[in-house]
Amino acid sequence: EESLQMWDLNKRLEAYLARVKFLEEENEVLRAEIQSAKGSPAGESWRARYEEELRALRDALDRAFREKCTAELARDNLYEEVQQVKSRCQKEQAARDEAKRQLALGRKELEEERRAQIWLKERAVQLEKEVEALLEVHEEEKAGLDQEIASFSQSLETFRCAPVAFQPVEVEDYSKRLSEIWRGAVETYKTEVSQLEGSLCQAKENLWKAVEDNQQSQLQLQHLEKDLAGLKARKEMLEENLARQWQEQRGEAEKFQLAMEALEQEKQSLRAQIAQVLEDRQQLMHLKMSLSLEVATYRTLLEAESTRLQMPAG
């Protein structure tokens, strides 16, 4: 029984020794590879290449962040420019509305001037008709007065030829009264004629003034139409510029978005690569630690087994 136990222990010891020897050989090989990797230029180049790649990735990440900030700044500038263009468009719209209002007022004033001109023309025609009527009445009154004077002169001749009982004082009074009536009629006629002439001159002045105001209104209307046409052309040009700027901004925004998405994907891939490299290094460290612990454990077992085997012999 003791020999079987010893044989079993020997088998186990041989297995342990073989395992320890194999692990020590592997450990030596790994140590040699690590030392060669540390000491050889290839290892240094690999480490330098790894650090260089890591530095390049960091630079690319910083550059992508700066480009993102630049794109955001450009986007803000474009938004401010769009707001300025909108404000200018609003001002142009307000100016166009004001021009339309002025044009409407000008048209209204022109219509009023036309109506006033028509009324003045009608008034002038009416005044001419009144003057003609007054001239006809004057002619009729003048003819009547001439007839009265003729009849009066005939009556005077009859009075002079025939012995009458009239006294000279009555004839003189009658002639004075007749001359006063005639003078009053003439003065009244002159006053009416002067009033009619003044009204006619005033009507002509009003007519000329209305014509001048009409011409000025037409000129002002033409200027307003020219201004309106210029404002329309300017509005169309601004709308075209705004549409072109919107298209350019949309294209640049799409380009920036695609660039940002590409940079984000590159960033994610770089993060994944860095994480993979760190994970590989962590696995290597864990493997090294587990190998060291296993070697230490086997050494402890071997020392304990050798001590246990040496004790009976002593």
Side-chain angles (χ1 to χ4, degrees):
E1 187 177 357
E2 289 179 358
S3 62
L4 289 175
Q5 290 179 358
M6 290 296 296
W7 184 74
D8 188 13
L9 288 174
N10 289 326
K11 291 290 183 182
R12 290 174 62 188
L13 181 59
E14 288 178 359
Y16 281 127
L17 291 174
R19 181 65 177 168
V20 169
K21 186 177 180 181
F22 177 74
L23 291 174
E24 285 181 352
E25 290 176 357
E26 285 187 353
N27 194 10
E28 291 295 332
V29 171
L30 290 173
R31 188 179 292 110
E33 288 179 357
I34 291 170
Q35 293 295 328
S36 62
K38 287 182 178 180
S40 64
E44 294 293 333
S45 64
W46 180 82
R47 185 173 182 181
R49 188 171 64 253
Y50 172 74
E51 291 179 355
E52 185 67 25
E53 289 180 357
L54 187 60
R55 191 180 300 108
L57 291 174
R58 288 176 180 175
D59 294 335
L61 187 61
D62 294 335
R63 187 167 59 254
F65 182 75
R66 287 195 297 271
E67 289 178 355
K68 181 181 178 182
C69 294
T70 306
E72 290 178 353
L73 183 61
R75 183 188 62 187
D76 295 335
N77 293 328
L78 290 174
Y79 181 75
E80 291 178 358
E81 290 179 0
V82 169
Q83 293 297 324
Q84 291 177 1
V85 171
K86 284 184 179 179
S87 65
R88 285 199 297 270
C89 288
Q90 290 176 359
K91 289 180 181 178
E92 292 295 332
Q93 184 70 26
R96 187 178 65 181
D97 295 337
E98 183 67 21
K100 286 183 179 179
R101 190 176 65 83
Q102 293 292 333
L103 182 60
L105 290 175
R107 288 178 178 174
K108 187 177 179 181
E109 291 178 357
L110 181 60
E111 188 67 26
E112 291 178 356
E113 291 294 333
R114 287 177 180 174
R115 291 178 182 176
Q117 185 179 2
I118 293 170
W119 181 81
L120 288 173
K121 287 181 179 180
E122 293 177 354
R123 183 63 178 168
V125 173
Q126 186 179 0
L127 290 173
E128 288 178 357
K129 290 180 180 179
E130 290 179 358
V131 168
E132 291 177 356
L134 289 173
L135 288 174
E136 291 178 357
V137 172
H138 176 66
E139 293 293 334
E140 290 176 357
E141 290 179 355
K142 185 178 179 182
L145 289 173
D146 290 336
Q147 289 178 3
E148 288 180 0
I149 290 169
S151 64
F152 181 69
S153 63
Q154 289 177 2
S155 64
L156 286 176
E157 291 293 333
T158 56
F159 284 149
R160 287 176 183 176
C161 294
V164 291
F166 289 107
Q167 295 180 359
V169 178
E170 292 178 358
V171 173
E172 290 177 358
D173 292 336
Y174 185 74
S175 63
K176 287 180 181 179
R177 288 174 61 190
L178 185 59
S179 61
E180 288 177 357
I181 291 169
W182 173 255
R183 194 179 296 111
V186 170
E187 293 293 333
T188 304
Y189 174 72
K190 288 181 178 179
T191 304
E192 290 178 355
V193 169
S194 62
Q195 289 178 357
L196 289 173
E197 289 178 352
S199 300
L200 184 60
C201 292
Q202 186 67 30
K204 288 181 179 180
E205 289 179 359
N206 292 329
L207 182 60
W208 283 108
K209 186 177 180 181
V211 171
E212 291 178 356
D213 293 338
N214 189 9
Q215 292 177 357
Q216 291 180 0
S217 299
Q218 288 179 357
L219 291 174
Q220 187 176 4
L221 181 61
Q222 291 177 0
H223 287 301
L224 289 174
E225 287 178 353
K226 289 180 181 178
D227 294 337
L228 182 61
L231 289 172
K232 285 182 179 179
R234 189 176 179 184
K235 179 191 173 185
E236 291 176 356
M237 183 178 66
L238 287 173
E239 287 178 352
E240 290 178 357
N241 292 328
L242 182 61
R244 186 172 62 254
Q245 289 180 0
W246 271 109
Q247 292 293 332
E248 291 177 356
Q249 290 174 5
R250 187 175 296 172
E252 291 179 357
E254 290 177 355
K255 290 181 181 178
F256 285 136
Q257 187 68 26
L258 292 174
M260 289 175 65
E261 290 178 357
L263 290 172
E264 189 67 27
Q265 291 178 359
E266 187 177 359
K267 180 181 175 182
Q268 294 294 332
S269 64
L270 291 174
R271 284 184 178 177
Q273 291 177 5
I274 291 170
Q276 185 66 34
V277 170
L278 293 176
E279 187 177 358
D280 293 338
R281 289 187 64 185
Q282 191 71 23
Q283 289 179 359
L284 288 173
M285 292 296 294
H286 283 300
L287 182 60
K288 183 179 178 181
M289 290 176 65
S290 62
L291 289 173
S292 299
L293 290 173
E294 192 173 357
V295 168
T297 303
Y298 282 125
R299 283 180 179 176
T300 304
L301 290 173
L302 287 173
E303 290 176 356
E305 189 68 22
S306 62
T307 305
R308 191 174 63 83
L309 291 174
Q310 289 174 5
M311 286 176 64

